[in-house]
Amino acid sequence: FGEVDANCVQRQLEDFAEKKDGQLKNYLIQHLAPSVLGPNGTVYITDHHHLSVALLRAFLPYKKPYYHRTLYVCITHDFSQLEAPVFWKGMEEKALVFLQDNFGQKITVDELPGSVKYLRDDPYRTLAMYARESFGFVKCGRSETNDFEQCQGGKVEAKPFLEFRWGNVFRDKFPSKGIYTESDQMQVLAFEGYLN
């Protein structure tokens, strides 16, 4: 997850909420989070981690803001009848879980954050988001990419965690020792050094 993008989304949500005209709810309904139903009915999101964190952190100027913190989901797989070991094996086989930390190191299922509030910033994931938005790579399944040949008119969906995988490519190609402690501006300057 990239902190910079989550902050941008948070500001957007707060702008919608400030207007109190239904824009916040409409935005959230239009941005369903693909999710898997796991053992005991637990919901696991497989995309829109930035939106989830942003919604959790956003200042919502309502008398009861928790009513407006609804993340709408679309259940793509129902594995609720499976036992945990079989569930997690299936999640790995279908690439519905990304078992790496924010440094690109492998982790176990037990080391996954228990909530989006425990996600850690990965600056390379943010770089991947900027590359995607600039069409450095294409994430099929979005209206703005349907015309790309590889997306076959919207018939092809990107695999989950595509930006995380690209983040790993960037981490290997553009290593920066201080990137996890540098300010956002210093991170940009470090990446610009690679491009010039």
Side-chain angles (χ1 to χ4, degrees):
F1 133 91
E3 189 74 42
V4 173
D5 189 33
N7 291 339
C8 291
V9 174
Q10 179 180 337
R11 284 191 298 274
Q12 185 177 26
L13 296 179
E14 290 171 347
D15 288 345
F16 289 149
E18 192 173 304
K19 294 174 184 163
K20 297 185 181 181
D21 62 359
Q23 282 188 52
L24 175 61
K25 184 175 182 178
N26 290 337
Y27 179 87
L28 293 172
I29 289 172
Q30 290 171 5
H31 293 83
L32 301 174
S35 304
V36 174
L37 200 56
N40 303 314
T42 303
V43 176
Y44 296 89
I45 62 171
T46 57
D47 203 352
H48 296 324
H49 299 86
H50 295 96
L51 174 60
S52 304
V53 171
L55 185 60
L56 181 68
R57 294 179 180 172
F59 173 73
L60 304 178
Y62 299 100
K63 287 183 182 178
K64 297 182 179 181
Y66 46 89
Y67 288 142
H68 303 275
R69 290 193 195 283
T70 301
L71 179 69
Y72 296 89
V73 300
C74 173
I75 302 297
T76 60
H77 298 81
D78 183 354
F79 298 140
S80 59
Q81 301 305 313
L82 300 178
E83 296 294 321
V86 177
F87 166 74
W88 286 112
K89 184 174 187 224
M91 291 284 283
E92 285 186 68
E93 288 172 356
K94 294 184 183 305
L96 294 171
V97 63
F98 193 72
L99 294 176
Q100 291 184 14
D101 65 13
N102 59 318
F103 297 102
Q105 301 299 310
K106 291 187 186 280
I107 61 171
T108 66
V109 168
D110 294 330
E111 295 171 299
L112 285 170
S115 166
V116 294
K117 69 182 173 183
Y118 301 120
L119 290 175
R120 297 291 172 243
D121 182 32
D122 181 352
Y124 291 99
R125 168 62 183 81
T126 297
L127 179 59
M129 184 262 316
Y130 287 133
R132 177 183 52 80
E133 287 182 353
S134 301
F135 296 104
F137 65 89
V138 175
K139 183 176 181 179
C140 295
R142 305 168 62 117
S143 60
E144 65 267 19
T145 61
N146 287 344
D147 292 336
F148 286 87
E149 183 179 331
Q150 63 267 40
C151 298
Q152 300 176 8
K155 296 176 187 169
V156 174
E157 288 282 325
K159 287 186 176 181
F161 306 104
L162 180 64
E163 288 95 343
F164 290 81
R165 297 174 206 289
W166 273 102
N168 282 342
V169 169
F170 297 138
R171 187 183 337 274
D172 291 341
K173 298 289 183 192
F174 310 119
S176 177
K177 292 180 182 177
I179 197 162
Y180 294 93
T181 57
E182 295 169 342
S183 68
D184 297 341
Q185 294 82 6
M186 290 303 295
Q187 291 173 14
V188 169
L189 290 173
F191 288 132
E192 282 180 349
Y194 286 109
L195 301 174
N196 294 328

